Amino acid sequence: MSLPSDRMSPQERRVGASLASIFALRMLGLFLILPVFSVYAKDVPGGDNLTLIGFALGAYGLTQAVFQIPYGIASDYWGRKPVIVVGLLLFAFGSFVAAWAPDLHWIVVGRVLQGAGAISAAVTALAADLTREEHRTKVMAMIGSSIGLVFALSLVGAPLLYGWIGMGGLFILTGVLALAAIVLLLKAVPAVPRPTGHLRLPLRRVLGDPDLLRLNLGIFTLHLIQMAMFVVLPHALVKHGGLAPAAHWQVYLPAVLVSFAVMVPAIIAAERRDKMRPIFLAAVALLIVVQCGLYLAGSSLWTLALWLLLFFVAFNVLEATLPSLVSRTAPPEAKGAALGVYNTTQACGLFLGGTLGGYLAQHFGDNAVFSACAGLALLWLLVAASMNFPSRRPSTVAASNLQE
């Protein structure tokens, strides 16, 4: 039985909800650690070394960058689910190592192992396998929105949980959530035909494809800007907005939730009306406007909150559309490899964004960060303007998988 092209099938809704939940379970554990780790680490043997504390946090992103491409290629050869299970087991093992760790060096080992469970490419490739092109961005939006939501929730819950169960308990909770994600993957996500592999398309062609390069530059720039901004925004909320760090969630949570409500109509227009190009370019342009606005924000908390809301609108639209565009642009036999490259550049953007943001803020002030981010977003807009945006095509998922 065929389905109207503007309606998601029950399976597509289940795929979106299940994979978004898997991402959320994994990311919640990671995000819960971030707001309190630096406080905890100071009382751990080796915690007097601030460089080592920073490396303990960043080690996850570095190993993510190393392993995304191999995991994506492996999922093309051996299937998405087996690779995701292996990655989640490794992530859980790293969490338990960090929970046991007697000193900061062993926490670094645990974080490295966590990052080695780099499943993002395989999960997004699985989402692409199980959805039609006309609904793929919606599913990616569900996944991206779940990440934003658990980030906001972690800002609220982390101090409370840390007070109840400590950092060791948070790491154990992270491992348990990863194991729960495996159960959800095996029980709730439908089966998918075994990939045919990417033997007919060498990796160098994926790396050299002009449109994939533009998309990879996009995710690199987006997450570089995100990390660089959040090096200075918490300080700006305290200094200019008069908001104590423990109350920052009062700005973050409403901004994330309202941005979701604004994002949904944009995603629907991009998919149903084939307006991907103007909406995508408008979101990149909004990033530039946000950086300029933050540069001129002054001392008003409400002004900072407004620009933060607009940032999350642009960020969530781009976070949803970028992986969808990669999956539609990449050849089917190399979808996992292409998404592996994509997620690697994302991890590199996260790592370099924090480094660049810290350097500029220390040596040139907060406004230098916003100026640099605006310049990078402008460069991205110029590059993206020449990109070929794939038009909607007939469903690429077997009809038997999409029947009511």
Side-chain angles (χ1 to χ4, degrees), residues 221-258:
T221 304
L222 179 64
H223 283 270
L224 188 153
I225 290 173
Q226 178 200 25
M227 286 300 291
M229 280 178 56
F230 277 90
V231 169
V232 297
L233 271 179
H235 173 68
L237 288 172
V238 173
K239 181 180 179 181
H240 301 302
L243 196 66
H248 285 187
W249 66 269
Q250 297 174 12
V251 173
Y252 295 145
L253 185 58
V256 171
L257 295 178
V258 174

Side-chain angles (χ1 to χ4, degrees), residues 102-370:
D103 57 39
L104 196 56
H105 292 87
W106 274 105
I107 292 178
V108 170
V109 173
R111 294 286 288 169
V112 166
L113 289 170
Q114 282 183 318
I119 63 168
S120 298
V123 172
T124 48
L126 180 58
D129 291 339
L130 293 172
T131 54
R132 293 169 290 171
E133 284 196 358
E134 56 265 36
H135 299 300
R136 193 164 297 156
T137 300
K138 297 174 191 173
V139 173
M140 299 299 180
M142 293 171 71
I143 293 173
S145 298
S146 72
I147 296 172
L149 182 58
V150 297
F151 173 68
L153 293 175
S154 71
L155 296 173
V156 181
L160 296 174
L161 287 172
Y162 178 64
W164 294 338
I165 61 179
M167 182 57 64
L170 285 178
F171 277 121
I172 290 174
L173 177 61
T174 298
V176 171
L177 290 174
L179 296 178
I182 294 176
V183 175
L184 183 61
L185 173 72
L186 298 178
K187 296 293 186 180
V189 179
V192 64
R194 188 186 185 92
T196 58
H198 66 283
L199 292 172
R200 291 169 291 176
L201 189 78
L203 179 60
R204 64 179 179 272
R205 286 187 55 195
V206 173
L207 293 171
D209 182 276
D211 288 323
L212 289 176
L213 281 173
R214 292 182 178 93
L215 293 168
N216 291 332
L217 172 66
I219 194 62
F220 173 84
T221 304
L222 179 64
H223 283 270
L224 188 153
I225 290 173
Q226 178 200 25
M227 286 300 291
M229 280 178 56
F230 277 90
V231 169
V232 297
L233 271 179
H235 173 68
L237 288 172
V238 173
K239 181 180 179 181
H240 301 302
L243 196 66
H248 285 187
W249 66 269
Q250 297 174 12
V251 173
Y252 295 145
L253 185 58
V256 171
L257 295 178
V258 174
S259 72
F260 291 161
V262 178
M263 175 194 70
V264 170
I267 295 299
I268 292 174
E271 291 290 5
R272 291 186 180 177
R273 301 176 185 175
D274 203 14
K275 299 293 185 181
M276 181 67 73
R277 182 186 187 89
I279 288 174
F280 183 91
L281 296 178
V284 179
L286 182 57
L287 281 181
I288 303 172
V289 173
V290 167
Q291 301 308 312
C292 295
L294 287 170
Y295 184 95
L296 302 170
S299 59
S300 168
L301 176 61
W302 287 104
T303 303
L304 288 170
L306 172 63
W307 291 120
L308 192 61
L309 166 62
L310 294 176
F311 167 76
F312 277 119
V313 171
F315 180 86
N316 286 332
V317 169
L318 293 166
E319 186 77 7
T321 54
L322 277 164
S324 176
L325 288 169
V326 171
S327 68
R328 292 160 64 178
T329 302
E333 64 272 21
K335 206 181 306 177
L339 286 164
V341 175
Y342 167 86
N343 282 284
T344 297
T345 55
Q346 178 187 54
C348 290
L350 287 168
F351 176 73
L352 291 176
T355 304
L356 177 64
Y359 177 83
L360 290 175
Q362 179 178 348
H363 293 282
F364 304 102
D366 291 359
N367 279 345
V369 176
F370 301 134

